Amino acid sequence: MILLSLSLCSETVLAASGSLDKGLSINLLNQDPDPVKPGDVLEVRISIENTGYDDIENCFLEIKPDYPFRALSGETLVENIGTLGKRSEDDRRKVVKLKLGVENDVNEGKYPLKVYLYSTGSKNKVSLTRELTIDINSESNAEIEYINVEKLIPGEKTKLIFGIKNVGNSPLKNSMFSWESTNDVILPVGSSNVKHINLIDVGETANVSFEVLTNVNTKPGLYKLDMVLTYDDIEELQTITEAGTVENQKRKTIESKAGIYIGGTTDFDIAFMERSSTGAYTFSVSNIGNNGANSVKISVPLQENWTVTDGGNSVILGNLQKGDYTIADFSLEPETVGQDLPLKFEISYTSSDGMRQVEENVLSLYAFPSTLPVGSKMPEESSGSSFSYKLVLLILLGAVSFFAYKKHQKNMKEKNAEGERIGENQMDEKNTDE
């Protein structure tokens, strides 16, 4: 009796099931692309066929997307397929095409796509749900997209930024970036050379920055940077089981290298030294930077306050290593005299990286009258120097007069003493004769 009851119940369940689908079948003909990648647009072609003995009117096919699928703007998710004829008729089979989007952060694997088929006719109503399997293939890949600087100045702290871009079709998770230079010529300051990045989404770029410094005496040249990026690989190195768990998680490593130049530009300082009676101004030019400069030329360009009166407006100074200086003379005439006027210079040179550079320098210079004596300097310096010379001359003259007077007094005393001795001797001789 128990077996009979179970068999009757199973027949009832089958009958109920048959009353729902009426012999309908739903199948996935194909997907495009196959497999689809994260972030792509997926097009599916679905076949619906009536294998029953009755027509089914007003049939609709609907997709209700769940993760990792999403609806696309302007694309319908419901398709009216009309009447499905019975198994002996030609209109028993229909094909429907629908488009969906795939999320960017999905892992590789097979994912179910739920499809609903129902009818709204007055007879033979149906309601059927099926799950179609969609293949998703994920590609994880990254590259060092850029480095923010091409040159480093010796002894100058610089912010070095690396741009890491996710060029794959799946997110980069738990990334670790590190770098090092040849012979540790470039070193990070205030942190290590390793940075951690939790997540880089598809198509996104993450920036990691380091404060770096090079030795002030580093020889100019091109140096190599070795870069290493490691991250969790969710492509071939992971396995997604039927239960949805992730096994055999591994790390993927990308190694690359780049060149960075150490050297480049430098700085100059210009100072006024003296002015001659002919109007020639002498200046000192010093290389105060950390790099050498070749083929240095200093010029006085056309300007409002000063005019070059004699000779050229440029002087070739040659090569100036860091710390070196030389002098340059220009015959200048000021627009007005007796006040400080700005004088603009242009210094052009070849930097250590072979590039021609131009640097401007402005010096505030006192405009001397044309009647100043030879070798004159700033007015304060000239008057002070003249006063000093006069004071020293007076002191010297006084000293000479004093020593001459003392010597004269000494000579007079010696003559008087000698005269007294002669007189005494004569008196002694007279007494003796007597």
mmCIF file of all heavy atoms in Angstrom, residues 235-283:
data_model
loop_
_atom_site.group_PDB
_atom_site.id
_atom_site.type_symbol
_atom_site.label_atom_id
_atom_site.label_comp_id
_atom_site.label_asym_id
_atom_site.label_seq_id
_atom_site.Cartn_x
_atom_site.Cartn_y
_atom_site.Cartn_z
ATOM 1 N N GLU A 235 42.803 34.313 -13.280
ATOM 2 C CA GLU A 235 42.555 33.779 -14.613
ATOM 3 C C GLU A 235 42.821 32.277 -14.592
ATOM 4 O O GLU A 235 42.055 31.511 -14.039
ATOM 5 C CB GLU A 235 43.449 34.483 -15.623
ATOM 6 C CG GLU A 235 43.148 34.123 -17.069
ATOM 7 C CD GLU A 235 44.134 34.774 -18.012
ATOM 8 O OE1 GLU A 235 44.927 35.604 -17.576
ATOM 9 O OE2 GLU A 235 44.106 34.421 -19.192
ATOM 10 N N GLU A 236 43.940 31.831 -15.162
ATOM 11 C CA GLU A 236 44.211 30.416 -15.252
ATOM 12 C C GLU A 236 44.711 29.826 -13.933
ATOM 13 O O GLU A 236 44.624 28.623 -13.728
ATOM 14 C CB GLU A 236 45.253 30.164 -16.337
ATOM 15 C CG GLU A 236 44.801 30.608 -17.722
ATOM 16 C CD GLU A 236 45.893 30.428 -18.751
ATOM 17 O OE1 GLU A 236 47.000 30.045 -18.338
ATOM 18 O OE2 GLU A 236 45.638 30.660 -19.935
ATOM 19 N N LEU A 237 45.255 30.657 -13.073
ATOM 20 C CA LEU A 237 45.889 30.137 -11.873
ATOM 21 C C LEU A 237 44.903 29.912 -10.749
ATOM 22 O O LEU A 237 45.280 29.548 -9.649
ATOM 23 C CB LEU A 237 46.983 31.108 -11.409
ATOM 24 C CG LEU A 237 48.081 31.373 -12.438
ATOM 25 C CD1 LEU A 237 49.114 32.306 -11.863
ATOM 26 C CD2 LEU A 237 48.729 30.076 -12.891
ATOM 27 N N GLN A 238 43.605 30.108 -11.005
ATOM 28 C CA GLN A 238 42.593 29.830 -10.011
ATOM 29 C C GLN A 238 41.574 28.845 -10.584
ATOM 30 O O GLN A 238 41.322 28.821 -11.780
ATOM 31 C CB GLN A 238 41.871 31.110 -9.581
ATOM 32 C CG GLN A 238 42.760 32.064 -8.798
ATOM 33 C CD GLN A 238 41.959 33.244 -8.299
ATOM 34 O OE1 GLN A 238 40.808 33.407 -8.661
ATOM 35 N NE2 GLN A 238 42.570 34.058 -7.473
ATOM 36 N N THR A 239 40.999 28.077 -9.716
ATOM 37 C CA THR A 239 39.992 27.109 -10.119
ATOM 38 C C THR A 239 38.700 27.399 -9.372
ATOM 39 O O THR A 239 38.696 27.486 -8.143
ATOM 40 C CB THR A 239 40.447 25.669 -9.808
ATOM 41 O OG1 THR A 239 41.672 25.418 -10.506
ATOM 42 C CG2 THR A 239 39.384 24.672 -10.239
ATOM 43 N N ILE A 240 37.606 27.570 -10.092
ATOM 44 C CA ILE A 240 36.304 27.800 -9.478
ATOM 45 C C ILE A 240 35.548 26.479 -9.511
ATOM 46 O O ILE A 240 35.260 25.936 -10.567
ATOM 47 C CB ILE A 240 35.524 28.891 -10.225
ATOM 48 C CG1 ILE A 240 36.326 30.196 -10.221
ATOM 49 C CG2 ILE A 240 34.154 29.084 -9.618
ATOM 50 C CD1 ILE A 240 35.658 31.311 -10.954
ATOM 51 N N THR A 241 35.258 25.968 -8.335
ATOM 52 C CA THR A 241 34.574 24.682 -8.242
ATOM 53 C C THR A 241 33.079 24.872 -8.452
ATOM 54 O O THR A 241 32.561 25.997 -8.498
ATOM 55 C CB THR A 241 34.831 24.038 -6.877
ATOM 56 O OG1 THR A 241 34.250 24.874 -5.864
ATOM 57 C CG2 THR A 241 36.327 23.939 -6.614
ATOM 58 N N GLU A 242 32.351 23.763 -8.562
ATOM 59 C CA GLU A 242 30.907 23.826 -8.742
ATOM 60 C C GLU A 242 30.224 24.446 -7.533
ATOM 61 O O GLU A 242 29.162 25.060 -7.647
ATOM 62 C CB GLU A 242 30.357 22.422 -9.000
ATOM 63 C CG GLU A 242 30.835 21.824 -10.318
ATOM 64 C CD GLU A 242 30.246 20.447 -10.537
ATOM 65 O OE1 GLU A 242 29.515 19.989 -9.638
ATOM 66 O OE2 GLU A 242 30.505 19.853 -11.597
ATOM 67 N N ALA A 243 30.856 24.287 -6.356
ATOM 68 C CA ALA A 243 30.277 24.867 -5.143
ATOM 69 C C ALA A 243 30.527 26.367 -5.039
ATOM 70 O O ALA A 243 30.018 27.024 -4.132
ATOM 71 C CB ALA A 243 30.841 24.169 -3.916
ATOM 72 N N GLY A 244 31.318 26.907 -5.958
ATOM 73 C CA GLY A 244 31.563 28.333 -5.973
ATOM 74 C C GLY A 244 32.756 28.777 -5.168
ATOM 75 O O GLY A 244 33.004 29.963 -5.038
ATOM 76 N N THR A 245 33.539 27.868 -4.637
ATOM 77 C CA THR A 245 34.713 28.245 -3.855
ATOM 78 C C THR A 245 35.924 28.377 -4.764
ATOM 79 O O THR A 245 35.967 27.836 -5.869
ATOM 80 C CB THR A 245 35.005 27.200 -2.763
ATOM 81 O OG1 THR A 245 35.223 25.930 -3.394
ATOM 82 C CG2 THR A 245 33.836 27.078 -1.801
ATOM 83 N N VAL A 246 36.916 29.130 -4.297
ATOM 84 C CA VAL A 246 38.144 29.350 -5.052
ATOM 85 C C VAL A 246 39.263 28.530 -4.440
ATOM 86 O O VAL A 246 39.499 28.586 -3.235
ATOM 87 C CB VAL A 246 38.520 30.845 -5.055
ATOM 88 C CG1 VAL A 246 39.815 31.075 -5.813
ATOM 89 C CG2 VAL A 246 37.394 31.651 -5.665
ATOM 90 N N GLU A 247 39.950 27.775 -5.249
ATOM 91 C CA GLU A 247 41.035 26.928 -4.784
ATOM 92 C C GLU A 247 42.327 27.278 -5.519
ATOM 93 O O GLU A 247 42.306 27.910 -6.580
ATOM 94 C CB GLU A 247 40.707 25.451 -5.019
ATOM 95 C CG GLU A 247 39.489 24.960 -4.228
ATOM 96 C CD GLU A 247 39.198 23.498 -4.526
ATOM 97 O OE1 GLU A 247 39.794 22.975 -5.489
ATOM 98 O OE2 GLU A 247 38.373 22.906 -3.815
ATOM 99 N N ASN A 248 43.446 26.870 -4.954
ATOM 100 C CA ASN A 248 44.764 26.998 -5.598
ATOM 101 C C ASN A 248 45.083 28.440 -5.981
ATOM 102 O O ASN A 248 45.584 28.707 -7.064
ATOM 103 C CB ASN A 248 44.840 26.118 -6.849
ATOM 104 C CG ASN A 248 44.552 24.668 -6.532
ATOM 105 O OD1 ASN A 248 44.921 24.189 -5.464
ATOM 106 N ND2 ASN A 248 43.875 23.994 -7.445
ATOM 107 N N GLN A 249 44.769 29.360 -5.070
ATOM 108 C CA GLN A 249 45.061 30.764 -5.365
ATOM 109 C C GLN A 249 46.569 30.971 -5.455
ATOM 110 O O GLN A 249 47.320 30.553 -4.600
ATOM 111 C CB GLN A 249 44.470 31.663 -4.285
ATOM 112 C CG GLN A 249 44.685 33.131 -4.556
ATOM 113 C CD GLN A 249 43.928 33.988 -3.570
ATOM 114 O OE1 GLN A 249 43.058 33.493 -2.887
ATOM 115 N NE2 GLN A 249 44.267 35.258 -3.505
ATOM 116 N N LYS A 250 47.009 31.644 -6.517
ATOM 117 C CA LYS A 250 48.434 31.854 -6.752
ATOM 118 C C LYS A 250 48.695 33.318 -7.068
ATOM 119 O O LYS A 250 47.779 34.118 -7.248
ATOM 120 C CB LYS A 250 48.925 30.969 -7.899
ATOM 121 C CG LYS A 250 48.827 29.480 -7.603
ATOM 122 C CD LYS A 250 49.390 28.667 -8.758
ATOM 123 C CE LYS A 250 49.306 27.186 -8.473
ATOM 124 N NZ LYS A 250 49.839 26.361 -9.588
ATOM 125 N N ARG A 251 49.982 33.676 -7.125
ATOM 126 C CA ARG A 251 50.403 35.042 -7.430
ATOM 127 C C ARG A 251 51.004 35.095 -8.825
ATOM 128 O O ARG A 251 51.688 34.170 -9.258
ATOM 129 C CB ARG A 251 51.442 35.517 -6.417
ATOM 130 C CG ARG A 251 50.975 35.513 -4.981
ATOM 131 C CD ARG A 251 50.126 36.702 -4.667
ATOM 132 N NE ARG A 251 50.886 37.938 -4.608
ATOM 133 C CZ ARG A 251 50.327 39.130 -4.468
ATOM 134 N NH1 ARG A 251 49.009 39.249 -4.397
ATOM 135 N NH2 ARG A 251 51.075 40.218 -4.406
ATOM 136 N N LYS A 252 50.733 36.179 -9.521
ATOM 137 C CA LYS A 252 51.317 36.398 -10.827
ATOM 138 C C LYS A 252 52.308 37.547 -10.718
ATOM 139 O O LYS A 252 52.056 38.533 -10.021
ATOM 140 C CB LYS A 252 50.240 36.733 -11.847
ATOM 141 C CG LYS A 252 50.761 36.806 -13.281
ATOM 142 C CD LYS A 252 49.610 36.971 -14.264
ATOM 143 C CE LYS A 252 50.120 36.991 -15.703
ATOM 144 N NZ LYS A 252 49.006 37.126 -16.670
ATOM 145 N N THR A 253 53.449 37.433 -11.385
ATOM 146 C CA THR A 253 54.517 38.420 -11.296
ATOM 147 C C THR A 253 54.818 39.011 -12.670
ATOM 148 O O THR A 253 54.948 38.274 -13.655
ATOM 149 C CB THR A 253 55.800 37.790 -10.712
ATOM 150 O OG1 THR A 253 55.524 37.284 -9.412
ATOM 151 C CG2 THR A 253 56.908 38.827 -10.621
ATOM 152 N N ILE A 254 54.902 40.331 -12.719
ATOM 153 C CA ILE A 254 55.282 41.041 -13.938
ATOM 154 C C ILE A 254 56.544 41.840 -13.631
ATOM 155 O O ILE A 254 56.554 42.680 -12.728
ATOM 156 C CB ILE A 254 54.165 41.980 -14.419
ATOM 157 C CG1 ILE A 254 52.927 41.166 -14.803
ATOM 158 C CG2 ILE A 254 54.629 42.805 -15.609
ATOM 159 C CD1 ILE A 254 51.749 42.030 -15.221
ATOM 160 N N GLU A 255 57.602 41.571 -14.374
ATOM 161 C CA GLU A 255 58.867 42.287 -14.196
ATOM 162 C C GLU A 255 59.123 43.174 -15.412
ATOM 163 O O GLU A 255 58.921 42.756 -16.547
ATOM 164 C CB GLU A 255 60.027 41.295 -14.021
ATOM 165 C CG GLU A 255 59.903 40.433 -12.771
ATOM 166 C CD GLU A 255 61.084 39.490 -12.618
ATOM 167 O OE1 GLU A 255 61.930 39.453 -13.545
ATOM 168 O OE2 GLU A 255 61.176 38.797 -11.590
ATOM 169 N N SER A 256 59.559 44.385 -15.156
ATOM 170 C CA SER A 256 59.849 45.327 -16.238
ATOM 171 C C SER A 256 60.981 46.244 -15.799
ATOM 172 O O SER A 256 61.390 46.235 -14.638
ATOM 173 C CB SER A 256 58.604 46.148 -16.607
ATOM 174 O OG SER A 256 58.133 46.850 -15.472
ATOM 175 N N LYS A 257 61.491 47.004 -16.742
ATOM 176 C CA LYS A 257 62.582 47.928 -16.436
ATOM 177 C C LYS A 257 62.394 49.214 -17.228
ATOM 178 O O LYS A 257 61.720 49.237 -18.267
ATOM 179 C CB LYS A 257 63.949 47.306 -16.733
ATOM 180 C CG LYS A 257 64.154 46.911 -18.185
ATOM 181 C CD LYS A 257 65.507 46.242 -18.371
ATOM 182 C CE LYS A 257 65.697 45.792 -19.832
ATOM 183 N NZ LYS A 257 66.998 45.121 -20.021
ATOM 184 N N ALA A 258 62.997 50.274 -16.728
ATOM 185 C CA ALA A 258 62.924 51.580 -17.376
ATOM 186 C C ALA A 258 64.225 52.321 -17.119
ATOM 187 O O ALA A 258 64.982 51.977 -16.207
ATOM 188 C CB ALA A 258 61.730 52.380 -16.860
ATOM 189 N N GLY A 259 64.484 53.328 -17.928
ATOM 190 C CA GLY A 259 65.675 54.154 -17.760
ATOM 191 C C GLY A 259 65.313 55.512 -17.207
ATOM 192 O O GLY A 259 64.285 56.087 -17.566
ATOM 193 N N ILE A 260 66.154 56.034 -16.325
ATOM 194 C CA ILE A 260 65.953 57.360 -15.783
ATOM 195 C C ILE A 260 67.297 58.087 -15.774
ATOM 196 O O ILE A 260 68.320 57.505 -15.390
ATOM 197 C CB ILE A 260 65.315 57.310 -14.378
ATOM 198 C CG1 ILE A 260 64.878 58.702 -13.939
ATOM 199 C CG2 ILE A 260 66.240 56.687 -13.372
ATOM 200 C CD1 ILE A 260 63.930 58.681 -12.757
ATOM 201 N N TYR A 261 67.300 59.325 -16.240
ATOM 202 C CA TYR A 261 68.543 60.071 -16.382
ATOM 203 C C TYR A 261 68.819 60.878 -15.117
ATOM 204 O O TYR A 261 67.925 61.508 -14.558
ATOM 205 C CB TYR A 261 68.473 61.009 -17.591
ATOM 206 C CG TYR A 261 69.805 61.650 -17.929
ATOM 207 C CD1 TYR A 261 70.713 61.001 -18.761
ATOM 208 C CD2 TYR A 261 70.158 62.880 -17.407
ATOM 209 C CE1 TYR A 261 71.932 61.571 -19.063
ATOM 210 C CE2 TYR A 261 71.380 63.463 -17.708
ATOM 211 C CZ TYR A 261 72.259 62.796 -18.536
ATOM 212 O OH TYR A 261 73.479 63.358 -18.818
ATOM 213 N N ILE A 262 70.061 60.828 -14.658
ATOM 214 C CA ILE A 262 70.499 61.619 -13.516
ATOM 215 C C ILE A 262 71.451 62.684 -14.039
ATOM 216 O O ILE A 262 72.462 62.374 -14.669
ATOM 217 C CB ILE A 262 71.183 60.755 -12.454
ATOM 218 C CG1 ILE A 262 70.188 59.729 -11.900
ATOM 219 C CG2 ILE A 262 71.730 61.610 -11.325
ATOM 220 C CD1 ILE A 262 70.782 58.809 -10.870
ATOM 221 N N GLY A 263 71.144 63.924 -13.782
ATOM 222 C CA GLY A 263 71.936 65.041 -14.296
ATOM 223 C C GLY A 263 71.008 66.130 -14.782
ATOM 224 O O GLY A 263 69.949 66.366 -14.208
ATOM 225 N N GLY A 264 71.439 66.832 -15.827
ATOM 226 C CA GLY A 264 70.573 67.844 -16.420
ATOM 227 C C GLY A 264 71.044 69.250 -16.167
ATOM 228 O O GLY A 264 72.226 69.571 -16.321
ATOM 229 N N THR A 265 70.134 70.109 -15.749
ATOM 230 C CA THR A 265 70.386 71.549 -15.672
ATOM 231 C C THR A 265 71.183 71.926 -14.430
ATOM 232 O O THR A 265 71.408 71.097 -13.542
ATOM 233 C CB THR A 265 69.062 72.312 -15.683
ATOM 234 O OG1 THR A 265 68.289 71.898 -14.555
ATOM 235 C CG2 THR A 265 68.290 72.024 -16.949
ATOM 236 N N THR A 266 71.575 73.187 -14.381
ATOM 237 C CA THR A 266 72.309 73.726 -13.231
ATOM 238 C C THR A 266 71.860 75.166 -13.007
ATOM 239 O O THR A 266 70.990 75.678 -13.719
ATOM 240 C CB THR A 266 73.824 73.641 -13.460
ATOM 241 O OG1 THR A 266 74.512 73.973 -12.257
ATOM 242 C CG2 THR A 266 74.272 74.577 -14.567
ATOM 243 N N ASP A 267 72.458 75.846 -12.012
ATOM 244 C CA ASP A 267 72.102 77.231 -11.680
ATOM 245 C C ASP A 267 73.354 78.103 -11.680
ATOM 246 O O ASP A 267 74.463 77.620 -11.425
ATOM 247 C CB ASP A 267 71.436 77.303 -10.303
ATOM 248 C CG ASP A 267 70.097 76.594 -10.289
ATOM 249 O OD1 ASP A 267 69.309 76.796 -11.223
ATOM 250 O OD2 ASP A 267 69.827 75.829 -9.329
ATOM 251 N N PHE A 268 73.129 79.403 -11.947
ATOM 252 C CA PHE A 268 74.239 80.350 -12.007
ATOM 253 C C PHE A 268 73.958 81.535 -11.085
ATOM 254 O O PHE A 268 72.800 81.876 -10.799
ATOM 255 C CB PHE A 268 74.429 80.862 -13.444
ATOM 256 C CG PHE A 268 74.881 79.811 -14.408
ATOM 257 C CD1 PHE A 268 73.946 79.068 -15.123
ATOM 258 C CD2 PHE A 268 76.230 79.546 -14.594
ATOM 259 C CE1 PHE A 268 74.354 78.103 -16.017
ATOM 260 C CE2 PHE A 268 76.646 78.574 -15.487
ATOM 261 C CZ PHE A 268 75.703 77.843 -16.192
ATOM 262 N N ASP A 269 75.038 82.157 -10.642
ATOM 263 C CA ASP A 269 74.959 83.388 -9.856
ATOM 264 C C ASP A 269 75.856 84.432 -10.508
ATOM 265 O O ASP A 269 76.987 84.127 -10.914
ATOM 266 C CB ASP A 269 75.396 83.148 -8.410
ATOM 267 C CG ASP A 269 75.300 84.410 -7.579
ATOM 268 O OD1 ASP A 269 74.165 84.837 -7.300
ATOM 269 O OD2 ASP A 269 76.366 84.975 -7.218
ATOM 270 N N ILE A 270 75.361 85.681 -10.610
ATOM 271 C CA ILE A 270 76.112 86.784 -11.224
ATOM 272 C C ILE A 270 76.281 87.882 -10.185
ATOM 273 O O ILE A 270 75.315 88.266 -9.506
ATOM 274 C CB ILE A 270 75.389 87.333 -12.459
ATOM 275 C CG1 ILE A 270 75.194 86.214 -13.496
ATOM 276 C CG2 ILE A 270 76.163 88.477 -13.083
ATOM 277 C CD1 ILE A 270 74.392 86.649 -14.702
ATOM 278 N N ALA A 271 77.501 88.391 -10.036
ATOM 279 C CA ALA A 271 77.782 89.457 -9.073
ATOM 280 C C ALA A 271 78.633 90.536 -9.741
ATOM 281 O O ALA A 271 79.508 90.242 -10.564
ATOM 282 C CB ALA A 271 78.497 88.901 -7.850
ATOM 283 N N PHE A 272 78.369 91.812 -9.375
ATOM 284 C CA PHE A 272 79.141 92.937 -9.902
ATOM 285 C C PHE A 272 80.473 93.040 -9.161
ATOM 286 O O PHE A 272 80.530 92.915 -7.932
ATOM 287 C CB PHE A 272 78.345 94.222 -9.744
ATOM 288 C CG PHE A 272 79.142 95.464 -10.023
ATOM 289 C CD1 PHE A 272 79.567 95.758 -11.306
ATOM 290 C CD2 PHE A 272 79.488 96.326 -8.990
ATOM 291 C CE1 PHE A 272 80.311 96.905 -11.566
ATOM 292 C CE2 PHE A 272 80.222 97.465 -9.237
ATOM 293 C CZ PHE A 272 80.633 97.760 -10.522
ATOM 294 N N MET A 273 81.560 93.300 -9.916
ATOM 295 C CA MET A 273 82.884 93.421 -9.312
ATOM 296 C C MET A 273 83.390 94.859 -9.343
ATOM 297 O O MET A 273 83.673 95.452 -8.303
ATOM 298 C CB MET A 273 83.875 92.497 -10.035
ATOM 299 C CG MET A 273 83.560 91.013 -9.869
ATOM 300 S SD MET A 273 84.785 89.947 -10.655
ATOM 301 C CE MET A 273 86.235 90.309 -9.663
ATOM 302 N N GLU A 274 83.507 95.481 -10.511
ATOM 303 C CA GLU A 274 84.017 96.840 -10.586
ATOM 304 C C GLU A 274 83.668 97.453 -11.924
ATOM 305 O O GLU A 274 83.190 96.769 -12.838
ATOM 306 C CB GLU A 274 85.532 96.863 -10.397
ATOM 307 C CG GLU A 274 86.298 96.107 -11.491
ATOM 308 C CD GLU A 274 87.802 96.168 -11.283
ATOM 309 O OE1 GLU A 274 88.215 96.745 -10.271
ATOM 310 O OE2 GLU A 274 88.533 95.644 -12.130
ATOM 311 N N ARG A 275 83.925 98.795 -12.001
ATOM 312 C CA ARG A 275 83.686 99.529 -13.235
ATOM 313 C C ARG A 275 84.934 100.338 -13.563
ATOM 314 O O ARG A 275 85.521 100.998 -12.694
ATOM 315 C CB ARG A 275 82.508 100.482 -13.095
ATOM 316 C CG ARG A 275 82.271 101.384 -14.306
ATOM 317 C CD ARG A 275 81.238 102.448 -13.982
ATOM 318 N NE ARG A 275 81.006 103.338 -15.117
ATOM 319 C CZ ARG A 275 81.707 104.426 -15.387
ATOM 320 N NH1 ARG A 275 82.722 104.762 -14.600
ATOM 321 N NH2 ARG A 275 81.413 105.191 -16.440
ATOM 322 N N SER A 276 85.341 100.314 -14.817
ATOM 323 C CA SER A 276 86.509 101.080 -15.247
ATOM 324 C C SER A 276 86.100 102.483 -15.664
ATOM 325 O O SER A 276 84.908 102.785 -15.807
ATOM 326 C CB SER A 276 87.212 100.371 -16.403
ATOM 327 O OG SER A 276 86.414 100.434 -17.565
ATOM 328 N N SER A 277 87.091 103.366 -15.880
ATOM 329 C CA SER A 277 86.809 104.750 -16.277
ATOM 330 C C SER A 277 86.219 104.831 -17.674
ATOM 331 O O SER A 277 85.606 105.829 -18.043
ATOM 332 C CB SER A 277 88.092 105.582 -16.210
ATOM 333 O OG SER A 277 89.075 105.025 -17.093
ATOM 334 N N THR A 278 86.390 103.782 -18.451
ATOM 335 C CA THR A 278 85.851 103.781 -19.818
ATOM 336 C C THR A 278 84.421 103.273 -19.875
ATOM 337 O O THR A 278 83.841 103.174 -20.955
ATOM 338 C CB THR A 278 86.732 102.909 -20.720
ATOM 339 O OG1 THR A 278 86.757 101.571 -20.206
ATOM 340 C CG2 THR A 278 88.155 103.461 -20.771
ATOM 341 N N GLY A 279 83.845 102.914 -18.730
ATOM 342 C CA GLY A 279 82.469 102.411 -18.704
ATOM 343 C C GLY A 279 82.340 100.914 -18.828
ATOM 344 O O GLY A 279 81.235 100.416 -19.055
ATOM 345 N N ALA A 280 83.450 100.160 -18.684
ATOM 346 C CA ALA A 280 83.402 98.697 -18.745
ATOM 347 C C ALA A 280 83.060 98.157 -17.361
ATOM 348 O O ALA A 280 83.762 98.435 -16.389
ATOM 349 C CB ALA A 280 84.724 98.141 -19.224
ATOM 350 N N TYR A 281 81.978 97.413 -17.289
ATOM 351 C CA TYR A 281 81.542 96.794 -16.038
ATOM 352 C C TYR A 281 82.032 95.358 -16.005
ATOM 353 O O TYR A 281 81.889 94.616 -16.993
ATOM 354 C CB TYR A 281 80.025 96.812 -15.919
ATOM 355 C CG TYR A 281 79.438 98.192 -15.666
ATOM 356 C CD1 TYR A 281 79.375 99.136 -16.687
ATOM 357 C CD2 TYR A 281 78.933 98.516 -14.425
ATOM 358 C CE1 TYR A 281 78.829 100.394 -16.469
ATOM 359 C CE2 TYR A 281 78.384 99.771 -14.184
ATOM 360 C CZ TYR A 281 78.327 100.705 -15.207
ATOM 361 O OH TYR A 281 77.790 101.933 -14.984
ATOM 362 N N THR A 282 82.598 94.940 -14.879
ATOM 363 C CA THR A 282 83.117 93.581 -14.728
ATOM 364 C C THR A 282 82.207 92.802 -13.791
ATOM 365 O O THR A 282 81.877 93.279 -12.692
ATOM 366 C CB THR A 282 84.548 93.593 -14.169
ATOM 367 O OG1 THR A 282 85.381 94.349 -15.054
ATOM 368 C CG2 THR A 282 85.086 92.186 -14.038
ATOM 369 N N PHE A 283 81.829 91.585 -14.214
ATOM 370 C CA PHE A 283 80.936 90.726 -13.440
ATOM 371 C C PHE A 283 81.599 89.359 -13.247
ATOM 372 O O PHE A 283 82.345 88.888 -14.116
ATOM 373 C CB PHE A 283 79.595 90.540 -14.154
ATOM 374 C CG PHE A 283 78.880 91.820 -14.442
ATOM 375 C CD1 PHE A 283 79.084 92.485 -15.647
ATOM 376 C CD2 PHE A 283 78.022 92.371 -13.521
ATOM 377 C CE1 PHE A 283 78.438 93.669 -15.933
ATOM 378 C CE2 PHE A 283 77.360 93.562 -13.789
ATOM 379 C CZ PHE A 283 77.562 94.221 -14.994
#
